[in-house]
Every structure is written in structure tokens, then in C-alpha cells.
Amino acid sequence: MTQYQFIAKTLAGFEECLAQELVSLGAQEVKPVVRGVSFSGDTALMYKVNYQSRLAIRVLMAVQSFPVKGERDLYHSIYGIAWEDYLDKGGTLAVDAVTQHPKMTHSLFIAQLAKDAIVDRFRNLEGQRPSVDLDSPDLRVHVHLDQSGASISLDSSDMPLFKRGYRIGAMEAPINEVLAAGLLELSQWDEKTPLFDPMCGSGTFLIEAAMKATKTPAGKFRKEFGFMKWKDFDYKLWDRVKNEADALIVPLAVEIKGSDISRRTITMAKRNVQEAGFIGNIQIEWQDFFQIKKNFSGFIITNPPYDERMKLKDMESFYKNIGSMFKHICTGSEAWIIVSAPEAMNAIGLHPSRKIKVFNGSIECRFLKYTIYQGSKKDSL
Ligand SMILES: C[S@@+](CC[C@H](N)C(=O)[O-])C[C@H]1O[C@@H](n2cnc3c(N)ncnc32)[C@H](O)[C@@H]1O
């Protein structure tokens, strides 16, 4: 099978985890780059990474790279690519661009120029041009421009891969699915220790953990991937890749539970859990974390609210309560918490044994680990 070059994009800080995941999926020449990993492989691998990767946001397949002197140069090089091999004249197209070029700094302009080059080629060669569809095109083209030149690639995922297809109920601040999966990976949860998210919101950690523990492909509930609309889509190969991955799914054999103070959110979490096929396996209940009396000994992972509108004093006492709950009703647990405000981290009042810098969207956060021993003085300030 023909070998291609790919870049799988991910969130900052998860490049190494994604590289390991890609190696385990069979990728070759795996190399972490900024917010991504480059690798090589065949079409089957491209389908497989789209279907199974928990940490990739999209998978770009390289088409051509070339040096660029200026706008005309860029236009002519893109015009020269045999776009008719990838797209029908009556098809639809979208072009995204990212530029780090010192002079050509306007990404929207570059995307427009690239789109013009592609449609001009069709019009001149075939007398008809594809139309633009930014939401759901047959072909999504990606242009990356920097000082060394342009790289043109095709987005084999189209809709970002964090859109897993199980989230039907969203709340105000759900954590991104790839971030949740990445944090689970960083925490090295062993998939055997009971897992609890006491502020579970829409249930993302719970579902991502259950999917990981059952080896459910991350894309199991997605209806579509970009490559399915490509001219060369090989549905038999796709079926094989999908069936091979699905055959590895095992029943959930670990306790996973979540709770939240908001009844509305709990309803949504239950709907999402149901959509992901884990209803009856993941326990979700309405509960104020600060009112829990029974000790939980296991693995805790959570993403408490951080609201910029929250008064500092309220925020400090909220996070102080979290620290106190960890200490008093979570003895014997390993607790991981993602926190953005330094004041909140201090307010927890326990010594984290690990602090990992991560980003939640554009917000810099710390992913903190607390090992909570019974009566240990090491953990308290
Ligand atoms: C940032 S959201 C969590 C998002 C979640 N990780 C998700 O994927 O949807 C924080 C959650 O904490 C919940 N919360 C706030 N105070 C709480 C408390 N005292 N006990 C339990 N849950 C609480 C909120 O209702 C909200 O759902």
C-alpha cells in the first residue's frame, strides 16, 4: 500500500502522549512537533488513527510542500496540484490556512488565494468549479505557511475528533474530550482502580475513562470522517479497520462514578452516558461534594468550576473545601484536579506530588496530583 506523510494535531502538552498512542496504532517515523505529531503510514492507518485515537484532534495528510517567494508563487504552486484527483468538479470545498510567514501574515487572505487557485484550475480544465461549503465540505484543504514555504494537506477528519458523537447534552463549561482523555493519560490511571469525578458536569471524564477501559474506539459514535467523502474512499478497507477495532472492545470491569451539585447537569450527563452505551455501568448521582460523608478510596479526577466572576474570597473558600474533602473523605485515594487560578491551587492547602502545565482552551492550568494517606502529615501544609 502507498505510504503517506501525516500530521496529527493535538493540544499543547499532549504531543508525547499522542506520539506513544500513534506508535501503538502502528504509525511509523513518529515525531512530535509543536501541538502535533508527524508520522507516516498507509490509508488503513489513516482510517485507524481517525477511528481510534483519543488524543488527536485532526489528521492531516500531506499533499505537497514547496518554497514560496510571494503570493503569485503560492497561487501558481497550488494551481499546479492535480486537484481533480481528489475532488469532483461538482463537489464542495473548504480551505483553512495557518501562517507564520513574516510577510504573508493574513491567514484568511491565504485561504482565499488557495481556494481561488483550486477553483480556477477546475474552471480552466473542466469548465465547472466546485463550490465552497465551510461546514461540511467534500474536501477540506489545509495550508500551512512559514518562512521555509507552504505545506498543503487534506484534512482526513473534517469535524474535529474531540467531537466523539456521544455528547448530546452540553452544559456551560464541558471539558474538551481530547483534553479529558489526555489528562487521563497523563495521570496514568491503571483502568482497574475505581474512578470518581465528584464534579462530573456532563460526564466527560467518566465516559472517556469508560471508553479507554473497555477499549472502545474514540470515534465509535461518530457518523462521519472527512476521508469518507474523498474520491478514493475505500469502504471495504474502512469496514475492515472498524471491525478489527470493534472486536477488541471488552465489557467495563471497573467502577466508574460521578456526581454533581446541579440536577440539570446530572440529567445531561446521564443522557451522554446512555449515548455512549454505559448506562447501568457508570453511576451518576446528584450530590454536593461538600456534603459527602462516606470515604472514597480510589482514583479521583475532576475539573472544578473556575469562574472569573467568582469573588476571590468565595473561590478561595471553595478550593479550601475541596482540599479539606480530599483530606477527610478521600483517604487512600490518588486525586487529580485541573486548576487554573494560582490562588485556587494555594487554597487547596495540600502539597501536590505532581504539577503538570496544561491548557484548557487558551487558559493556562495546572494538573495537580495529591496522594492522600490516612493521617499523613506530609500532605498537609
Ligand atoms: C467545569 S464544570 C465540570 C465540567 C465537566 N468536567 C464536564 O466535562 O462537563 C464544574 C462542575 O462542578 C459542579 N459543581 C460546583 N460546585 C459543586 C459542588 N459543591 N459539588 C458538586 N459539584 C459541584 C458544577 O455544577 C459543574 O458541573
Side-chain angles (χ1 to χ4, degrees), residues 6-305:
F6 299 97
I7 290 198
K9 308 292 286 179
T10 189
L11 300 170
F14 295 97
E15 296 88 346
E16 287 296 336
C17 292
L18 174 58
Q20 282 171 24
E21 185 186 52
L22 290 169
V23 169
S24 74
L25 291 173
Q28 285 154 22
E29 300 178 90
V30 175
K31 192 171 151 233
V33 295
V34 178
R35 264 177 279 139
V37 177
S38 66
F39 64 101
S40 64
D42 57 16
T43 304
L45 180 77
M46 187 240 289
Y47 293 174
K48 192 172 176 184
V49 173
N50 270 288
Y51 191 50
Q52 289 189 250
S53 172
R54 302 185 197 286
L55 303 171
I57 292 179
R58 56 182 73 251
V59 183
L60 303 174
M61 187 180 93
V63 172
Q64 237 179 66
S65 294
F66 42 80
V68 173
K69 290 197 197 97
E71 288 162 16
R72 282 178 66 80
D73 206 23
L74 179 64
Y75 175 93
H76 285 296
S77 298
I78 294 178
Y79 185 95
I81 296 172
W83 292 105
E84 55 284 3
D85 291 351
Y86 303 107
L87 182 65
D88 282 325
K89 59 187 175 190
T92 57
L93 165 81
V95 183
D96 306 319
V98 170
T99 178
Q100 289 148 4
H101 194 280
K103 292 195 185 122
M104 298 164 72
T105 55
H106 201 314
S107 56
L108 278 180
F109 175 77
I110 291 161
Q112 180 77 24
L113 186 89
K115 186 269 296 171
D116 288 347
I118 300 169
V119 301
D120 288 353
R121 180 182 173 99
F122 273 98
R123 204 170 10 221
N124 294 341
L125 293 181
E126 309 209 16
Q128 195 189 336
R129 51 154 284 187
S131 51
V132 170
D133 177 352
L134 297 179
D135 295 330
S136 181
D138 297 330
L139 192 72
R140 191 178 288 280
V141 177
H142 185 78
V143 180
H144 181 97
L145 189 64
D146 62 25
Q147 208 151 10
S148 65
S151 304
I152 312 298
S153 49
L154 305 182
D155 184 344
S156 68
S157 313
D158 190 13
M159 234 184 5
L161 297 173
F162 60 76
K163 297 205 173 188
R164 309 281 207 223
Y166 62 69
R167 193 190 289 288
I168 49 173
M171 34 117 27
E172 238 176 64
I175 195 165
N176 177 295
E177 292 80 345
V178 166
L179 179 57
L183 295 177
L184 278 164
E185 207 56 48
L186 287 178
S187 74
Q188 296 181 314
W189 173 56
D190 61 6
E191 300 171 31
K192 293 186 195 100
T193 308
L195 181 146
F196 175 40
D197 179 353
M199 299 188 184
C200 70
S202 60
T204 318
F205 279 128
L206 310 176
I207 297 169
E208 289 296 324
M211 288 179 83
K212 185 171 155 63
T214 54
K215 304 193 180 355
T216 303
K220 177 89 182 124
F221 308 106
R222 264 174 79 112
K223 304 248 173 336
E224 202 169 71
F225 297 88
F227 60 77
M228 291 176 170
K229 290 195 264 175
W230 290 3
K231 269 178 101 165
D232 67 351
F233 176 49
D234 184 341
Y235 70 91
K236 279 194 184 145
L237 179 64
W238 163 243
D239 259 9
R240 200 192 81 206
V241 166
K242 194 169 162 356
N243 290 338
E244 279 174 11
D246 290 351
L248 302 175
I249 300 174
V250 293
L252 189 64
V254 59
E255 180 191 340
I256 295 182
K257 63 176 190 175
S259 53
D260 199 283
I261 199 170
S262 155
R263 284 188 193 273
R264 211 180 115 251
T265 301
I266 287 296
T267 308
M268 283 177 204
K270 284 187 175 164
R271 283 168 59 195
N272 292 336
V273 163
Q274 177 158 32
E275 198 62 21
F278 295 114
I279 205 80
N281 288 318
I282 295 178
Q283 310 308 322
I284 298 186
E285 60 176 6
W286 172 68
Q287 173 80 265
D288 178 349
F289 180 43
F290 304 138
Q291 299 302 320
I292 293 180
K293 303 274 183 290
K294 197 167 161 229
N295 192 76
F296 172 80
S297 174
F299 180 92
I300 297 169
I301 185 161
T302 199
N303 152 222

